[in-house]
Amino acid sequence: MTRSIAVLLACAALLRADRQSGELRISVSDATGAALAARVEVESAINQFRRVLETSPEGRLIIPGLAFGPYRAVVTRDGFAPSSLNLEIRSEVPVERRVTLELRGIT
């Protein structure tokens, strides 16, 4: 029985080590530094991943479990020009990005 538990724990450790996923943390503010709630679209063609999410009212968003690879994030909010980021998840260390949205010009 003890041997079975040891084998099970070893298998679980191997599965965890092979996880190869990371985390993206985004914070959004305006030009004055005030936090903004915003819409964030994250996609990766290589990983066949696409999600549209909302930040918290404090302008923060955490996306865990992203497979390693390149991603593009587009941050939008009414009245502001969109902002896009190209980034890469390469390890389990969280990738942090601060996005400053500029007011949309009057046309």
Side-chain angles (χ1 to χ4, degrees):
M1 173 110 170
T2 305
R3 183 181 167 117
S4 296
I5 292 172
V7 169
L8 251 166
L9 290 174
C11 289
L14 285 173
L15 288 174
R16 182 169 166 79
D18 194 35
R19 198 170 87 187
Q20 295 195 349
S21 66
E23 180 174 284
L24 174 60
R25 297 177 182 179
I26 294 178
S27 60
V28 182
S29 62
D30 66 12
T32 69
L36 290 175
R39 178 178 177 230
V40 180
E41 181 178 338
V42 179
E43 63 184 349
S44 173
I46 290 174
N47 293 322
Q48 299 180 353
F49 177 91
R50 182 178 181 277
R51 293 249 170 88
V52 178
L53 305 160
E54 300 286 330
T55 67
S56 68
E58 296 80 27
R60 295 189 188 140
L61 176 65
I62 298 174
I63 309 169
L66 294 174
F68 291 173
Y71 289 84
R72 181 168 191 249
V74 178
V75 182
T76 58
R77 180 180 163 115
D78 288 343
F80 291 82
S83 179
S84 65
L85 321 160
N86 291 313
L87 53 103
E88 185 143 357
I89 304 295
R90 296 182 182 168
S91 71
E92 291 183 13
V93 175
V95 173
E96 297 188 30
R97 294 291 185 268
R98 297 181 194 277
V99 177
T100 302
L101 295 181
E102 301 291 331
L103 284 172
R104 183 172 297 184
I106 299 173
T107 58

